[in-house]
Amino acid sequence: SHGMFEVLISILGSDEQIKEYYTKTVSEEIVGCYAQTEIGHGSDIQGMQTTAELDKKSQEFVFNSGSIEGYKFWPGDLGLLATHAVVFARLIIDGDD
């Protein structure tokens, strides 16, 4: 089991994301992790530095950790072994946080 990754995909994912990723996670085709904890503040989401800014031209999110304190951190090997992640970040659209 991939724990939080499976749970978050099944709860927060769109129908398309669930179809694509949940099945592959359960079958162990991909290894997923939950990326919330940052070096500078642990799991305190009020202090989260990582941002995900929508690039409207490409329709993709650009992630930025801001500084080393905003780097995502995993105890154990998930940061090394995971092929996919559910990343928690502050959402930025048109400059609004």
Side-chain angles (χ1 to χ4, degrees):
S1 172
H2 302 283
M4 288 297 292
F5 183 81
E6 279 181 28
V7 170
L8 291 170
I9 291 294
S10 68
I11 293 172
L12 301 176
S14 66
D15 291 341
E16 181 181 338
Q17 291 167 326
I18 292 169
K19 183 178 179 183
E20 174 73 19
Y21 299 109
Y22 186 79
T23 304
K24 289 181 179 179
T25 301
V26 172
S27 69
E28 298 184 353
E29 186 177 337
I30 65 173
V31 176
C33 66
Y34 169 64
Q36 174 185 315
T37 303
E38 294 180 353
I39 290 174
H41 69 81
S43 295
D44 173 17
I45 60 172
Q46 296 291 339
M48 188 174 299
Q49 292 184 13
T50 301
T51 60
E53 185 166 2
L54 178 62
D55 179 332
K56 288 189 174 184
K57 185 175 180 181
S58 67
Q59 288 298 293
E60 296 176 340
F61 287 98
V62 177
F63 288 88
N64 186 334
S65 294
S67 73
I68 194 166
E69 291 181 350
Y71 287 10
K72 297 300 184 185
F73 176 80
W74 297 265
D77 292 334
L78 271 181
L80 300 171
L81 302 175
T83 58
H84 293 72
V86 171
V87 179
F88 275 66
R90 293 181 6 242
L91 179 62
I92 310 290
I93 299 177
D94 294 331
D96 291 329
D97 190 345

